[in-house]
Amino acid sequence: KAGVTQTPRYLIKTRGQQVTLSCSPISGHRSVSWYQQTPGQGLQFLFEYFSETQRNKGNFPGRFSGRQFSNSRSEMNVSTLELGDSALYLCASSLIPGFSNQPQHFGDGTRLSIL
Amino acid sequence: AQTVTQSQPEMSVQEAETVTLSCTYDTSESDYYLFWYKQPPSRQMILVIRQEAYKQQNATENRFSVNFQKAAKSFSLKISDSQLGDAAMYFCAYHTQGGSEKLVFGKGMKLTVNP
């Protein structure tokens, strides 16, 4: 069974640009969550999607957005990039939300660097 | 809001010896889940072990075991017979029971295994 797939693996952008990251969950998983990992702030929750609906959102500005498609694949978008957006963005999937006996499985992440 | 604290940023252990990683958390909830995740240089977050708060018995997974003290809000990870492959960042995480798939992570701890 393939794991969580995140593309691209690395991305370099400049300030002011926008970026879209992609996450394909494990087959059969319907919940997708996104996290930002930085050396200073650690791992912080961005948002969670289930059945194409955003169920929960972390404390990030509106420049950070996401969506989920009918096949459970998810994308996150960051507009007007800032230097502080440089981070590892991790995606995690689980079967259905709210049942932690089915834990989240993480992808390898997308390393985003802002110049 | 829930918080997770890992007070030791780094630890080292000799191969084949035992090491304990500490974690404390703060919550007003009575039912929740706790996890330990491992993140090697490959970046993927790998689930090591999980504990359901309503279970008094400490979870074990092969060489990994936890010491869960609910009243003290403490959740330490013991790694027995340490192996070189155990070297990684270790994150303690809290998961609310029901509803959201949001994980709250500690800052992490870097474990070095010396041959």
Side-chain angles (χ1 to χ4, degrees):
Chain A
K1 201 176 201 180
V4 177
T5 304
Q6 291 188 246
T7 57
R9 194 163 167 81
Y10 299 93
L11 205 49
I12 298 175
K13 292 286 186 179
T14 57
R15 281 182 296 175
Q17 288 186 309
Q18 76 165 13
V19 67
T20 299
L21 311 181
S22 178
C23 172
S24 293
I26 291 172
S27 177
H29 284 196
R30 296 172 57 196
S31 173
V32 174
S33 299
W34 288 88
Y35 295 85
Q36 182 196 63
Q37 185 176 20
T38 60
Q41 298 299 317
L43 281 144
Q44 293 186 288
F45 173 78
L46 278 157
F47 26 64
E48 170 207 346
Y49 286 88
F50 175 69
S51 292
E52 302 176 64
T53 302
Q54 187 181 87
R55 285 169 37 88
N56 200 0
K57 190 177 192 300
N59 189 25
F60 280 81
R63 300 185 297 108
F64 291 81
S65 62
R67 59 177 175 169
Q68 186 180 35
F69 302 94
S70 58
N71 62 357
S72 296
R73 189 178 72 86
S74 177
E75 289 181 346
M76 68 163 281
N77 184 77
V78 188
S79 62
T80 318
L81 286 165
E82 300 176 359
L83 291 177
D85 297 334
S86 294
L88 179 66
Y89 290 88
L90 290 165
C91 167
S93 74
S94 60
L95 278 167
I96 48 177
F99 294 90
S100 295
N101 59 338
Q102 303 161 10
Q104 295 183 48
H105 297 266
F106 285 80
D108 290 343
T110 293
R111 173 77 67 188
L112 174 63
S113 299
I114 311 301
L115 303 179
Chain B
Q2 295 83 16
T3 59
V4 177
T5 302
Q6 293 178 253
S7 56
Q8 305 152 301
E10 287 192 53
M11 291 187 75
S12 63
V13 63
Q14 290 297 124
E15 197 175 2
E17 294 193 344
T18 295
V19 64
T20 298
L21 286 58
S22 64
C23 172
T24 58
Y25 58 94
D26 189 24
T27 184
S28 57
E29 298 177 328
S30 59
D31 202 9
Y32 46 87
Y33 290 83
L34 296 165
F35 300 86
W36 278 98
Y37 279 91
K38 165 185 174 182
Q39 187 179 41
S42 65
R43 306 183 330 200
Q44 186 181 31
M45 297 286 282
I46 301 166
L47 177 66
V48 174
I49 198 166
R50 63 183 166 214
Q51 175 78 42
E52 297 167 82
Y54 68 88
K55 288 188 176 180
Q56 293 187 344
Q57 186 174 7
N58 289 325
T60 61
E61 285 286 343
N62 301 315
R63 298 183 295 108
F64 300 89
S65 61
V66 301
N67 182 4
F68 173 49
Q69 303 287 330
K70 190 173 183 179
K73 296 179 181 174
S74 169
F75 181 59
S76 61
L77 173 69
K78 185 171 84 171
I79 306 175
S80 304
D81 185 24
S82 297
Q83 300 175 0
L84 295 176
D86 294 334
M89 286 291 294
Y90 284 82
F91 293 90
C92 178
Y94 173 103
H95 190 305
T96 303
Q97 168 69 309
S100 171
E101 284 298 284
K102 174 183 175 181
L103 282 166
V104 177
F105 286 90
K107 293 289 190 185
M109 192 225 68
K110 181 180 179 181
L111 178 67
T112 300
V113 181
N114 300 310

